Amino acid sequence: MTGGVRWGGRFAKVGVGSVAERLLDTAPRIPVRDLATLRKQFPGLGPEDIADRLTAAAVRGTMTVGAGVGAAAMLPAPPAIPAELATETLGVAAVEFKLIAELHEVYGLRVPGTVRERATAYLWSWTEQRGIDVLKPTTVNVALGSSMKRELRQRLLRRSLRHTPSLTPFMVGAAVGALMNRRDTHKLAERVRRDLRAHQLPWPDPEPDQPALPAAPDPGRPRPELPGSGEGQD
């Protein structure tokens, strides 16, 4: 445990800045499903049901990451611990970023702008642990114009220090890391969903899948005779 705290402190001092830079660079490239895609993948489900599915998948993902880093703490290579903790922090942040972005889609509150602008706004949402009210331009402007890098570093620093018990050896860290990530991701999802639910917009009506209608016959053209319909036939 003492070793885990020591290596966690080392990561917090020298690694959190590079993790923040990597997260800012990676976020715009993380694939985010839009509302139409989500409705196709979860047919017949409403916003709350889809949000439940997304939350459950994200919780499983962050638990897997936490358990993996806890297991890596057993390896006899202490210098690798800061790298493992950095990987865990970045991996969990990426999973939770994707969750936040897709929750905004589910509740009809997609942030306007380019992919990079949306990514910046959703990183702000992750940093502040709250949803974005796209109906208020001031809220969107705050998300886009905030000192994102400094706030992001502070969030990553707090998270890394809080999760140093996951570096406990003998597989205890694997269980601790999984449980802590489960708790934190679920709490984040509940906070963001509560904000988004308060400003939720209705879904647009889907276009019905209908086969193309045959073209209307031209009244100026004679109709083709069917086989067996000619004159002189019984």
Side-chain angles (χ1 to χ4, degrees), residues 165-214:
S166 65
L167 301 180
T168 306
F170 306 117
M171 292 305 292
V172 175
V176 172
L179 290 176
M180 293 184 72
N181 283 348
R182 175 185 180 183
R183 179 199 63 193
D184 289 351
T185 302
H186 191 271
K187 185 183 297 185
L188 169 67
E190 288 300 315
R191 289 176 177 175
V192 172
R193 290 177 65 177
R194 182 171 61 248
D195 289 344
L196 297 179
R197 197 179 291 119
H199 310 288
Q200 182 176 357
L201 294 179
W203 286 352
D205 294 332
E207 297 181 359
D209 296 331
Q210 296 181 351
L213 297 176

Side-chain angles (χ1 to χ4, degrees), residues 10-233:
R10 176 182 171 185
F11 162 75
K13 291 179 180 179
V14 302
V16 69
S18 62
V19 173
E21 294 289 346
R22 289 175 61 188
L23 184 57
L24 286 167
D25 182 63
T26 303
R29 299 197 296 270
I30 295 176
V32 175
R33 293 168 290 186
D34 59 15
L35 177 58
T37 301
L38 290 169
R39 294 181 71 178
K40 289 180 180 178
Q41 293 184 354
F42 300 100
L45 298 183
E48 292 299 326
D49 292 328
I50 295 180
D52 287 342
R53 299 287 184 90
L54 297 179
T55 300
V59 168
R60 289 194 300 270
T62 56
M63 287 181 65
T64 300
V65 174
V69 172
M74 294 183 62
L75 300 177
I81 295 300
E84 293 292 344
L85 186 56
T87 300
E88 190 261 357
T89 302
L90 182 63
V92 169
V95 172
E96 293 179 346
F97 167 86
K98 180 180 176 67
L99 170 64
I100 287 176
E102 293 183 346
L103 286 177
H104 280 79
E105 293 282 343
V106 167
Y107 287 99
L109 297 172
R110 183 184 194 184
V111 173
T114 64
V115 173
R116 183 166 293 277
E117 288 172 341
R118 283 197 296 274
T120 301
Y122 295 142
L123 281 177
W124 177 88
S125 177
W126 181 82
T127 301
E128 298 294 328
Q129 307 276 289
R130 56 181 295 188
I132 300 174
D133 182 4
V134 299
L135 301 179
K136 293 183 179 180
T138 54
T139 305
V140 179
N141 292 337
V142 168
L144 294 177
S146 63
S147 53
M148 170 62 63
K149 189 175 296 186
R150 184 182 70 251
E151 296 176 3
L152 188 62
R153 285 175 177 173
Q154 292 174 351
R155 169 62 62 181
L156 292 169
L157 177 61
R158 290 193 296 269
R159 191 191 184 286
S160 63
L161 291 177
R162 191 170 66 251
H163 282 242
T164 50
S166 65
L167 301 180
T168 306
F170 306 117
M171 292 305 292
V172 175
V176 172
L179 290 176
M180 293 184 72
N181 283 348
R182 175 185 180 183
R183 179 199 63 193
D184 289 351
T185 302
H186 191 271
K187 185 183 297 185
L188 169 67
E190 288 300 315
R191 289 176 177 175
V192 172
R193 290 177 65 177
R194 182 171 61 248
D195 289 344
L196 297 179
R197 197 179 291 119
H199 310 288
Q200 182 176 357
L201 294 179
W203 286 352
D205 294 332
E207 297 181 359
D209 296 331
Q210 296 181 351
L213 297 176
D218 187 348
R221 292 184 178 180
R223 293 184 178 180
E225 295 183 357
L226 297 176
S229 63
E231 296 182 2
Q233 296 183 3

